[in-house]
């Protein structure tokens, strides 16, 4: 099967829920992909191909849905897995990075010993919207001396300006939505 057909197929497992969590937001729900073995497996196979091509030494998964894809990929590829978490969740010493939201700001954190100096890292999440969360995680990985060699996401929202924010990085997304 051509790669293009596979990606079209993956899209069929993703449910879009209008006005969640608030009016005007179209939420792309990957639980329908996870709950179908074929859908989850198709997505993981494609992400695995990309992560393999990056020669990564570690995967960093972003809370919470990035944990699901990232942890399976780490196990498939015999790589270490690091969690990027919301503030106050990690028990040991952390590095922390603030990023802007549409209204206000948020933070993301890594344990100080969760990425080694010079390590080649791929960051994994389920969806890239503005790119703010992933950009913050890139900064944290770099603060610890790691090298971000790739970013892997199931979905991207191409009508948002994430490409400019992540211009310094190689980004691979399986399916793209070009309007709200
Ligand atoms: P951003 O930092 O704007 O790229 O937002 C990305 C994070 O927010 C990801 O962890 C997504 O899971 C979540 N997210 C943002 N927008 C949506 C959406 N429309 N549908 C589902 N998840 C979203």
């Amino acid at each position: 099967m051509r790669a293009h057909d596979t990606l079209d197929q993956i899209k069929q497992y993703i449910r879009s829920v209008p006005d969640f969590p608030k009016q005007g937001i179209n939420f792309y729900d990957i639980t329908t992909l996870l709950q179908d073995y074929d859908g989850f497996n198709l997505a993981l196979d494609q992400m695995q191909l990309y992560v393999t091509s990056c020669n990564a030494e570690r995967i960093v998964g972003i809370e919470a849905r990035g944990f699901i894809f990232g942890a399976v990929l780490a196990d498939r590829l015999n790589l270490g897995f690091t969690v990027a978490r919301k503030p106050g969740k990690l028990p040991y010493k952390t590095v922390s990075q603030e990023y802007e939201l549409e209204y206000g700001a948020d933070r993301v954190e890594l344990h100080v010993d969760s990425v080694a100096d010079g390590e080649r890292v791929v960051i994994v999440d389920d969806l890239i919207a503005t790119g703010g969360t992933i950009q913050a995680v890139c900064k944290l990985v770099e603060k610890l001396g790691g090298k971000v060699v790739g970013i892997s996401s199931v979905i991207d929202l191409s009508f948002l300006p994430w490409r400019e924010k992540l211009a310094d990085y190689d980004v691979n997304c399986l399916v793209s939505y070009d309007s709200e």
Side-chain angles (χ1 to χ4, degrees), residues 60-158:
V60 173
I62 302 180
E63 185 171 0
R65 293 180 290 273
F67 292 174
I68 300 166
F69 295 94
V72 176
L73 289 168
D75 184 65
R76 280 187 174 200
L77 293 167
N78 301 318
L79 302 175
F81 182 62
T82 291
V83 295
R85 297 212 62 182
K86 298 186 173 140
K89 300 283 186 190
L90 291 169
Y92 186 59
K93 282 179 261 172
T94 58
V95 282
S96 182
Q97 179 69 47
E98 192 174 89
Y99 59 97
E100 280 177 32
L101 298 174
E102 199 178 346
Y103 303 102
D106 209 343
R107 273 187 173 277
V108 65
E109 299 185 338
L110 290 183
H111 270 146
V112 290
D113 55 0
S114 64
V115 173
D117 196 30
E119 210 167 26
R120 295 172 63 83
V121 170
V122 171
I123 298 172
V124 174
D125 205 355
D126 69 322
L127 183 144
I128 304 177
T130 66
T133 314
I134 287 196
Q135 187 188 38
V137 175
C138 289
K139 285 183 185 165
L140 289 176
V141 168
E142 288 162 358
K143 222 182 259 185
L144 296 177
K147 183 168 169 46
V148 178
V149 292
I151 293 169
S152 172
S153 176
V154 182
I155 303 166
D156 81 277
L157 305 186
S158 59

Side-chain angles (χ1 to χ4, degrees), residues 45-58:
D45 283 351
Q46 294 301 313
M47 292 170 100
Q48 182 174 350
L49 283 174
Y50 173 69
V51 179
T52 301
S53 77
C54 295
N55 288 316
E57 296 170 291
R58 170 169 303 283

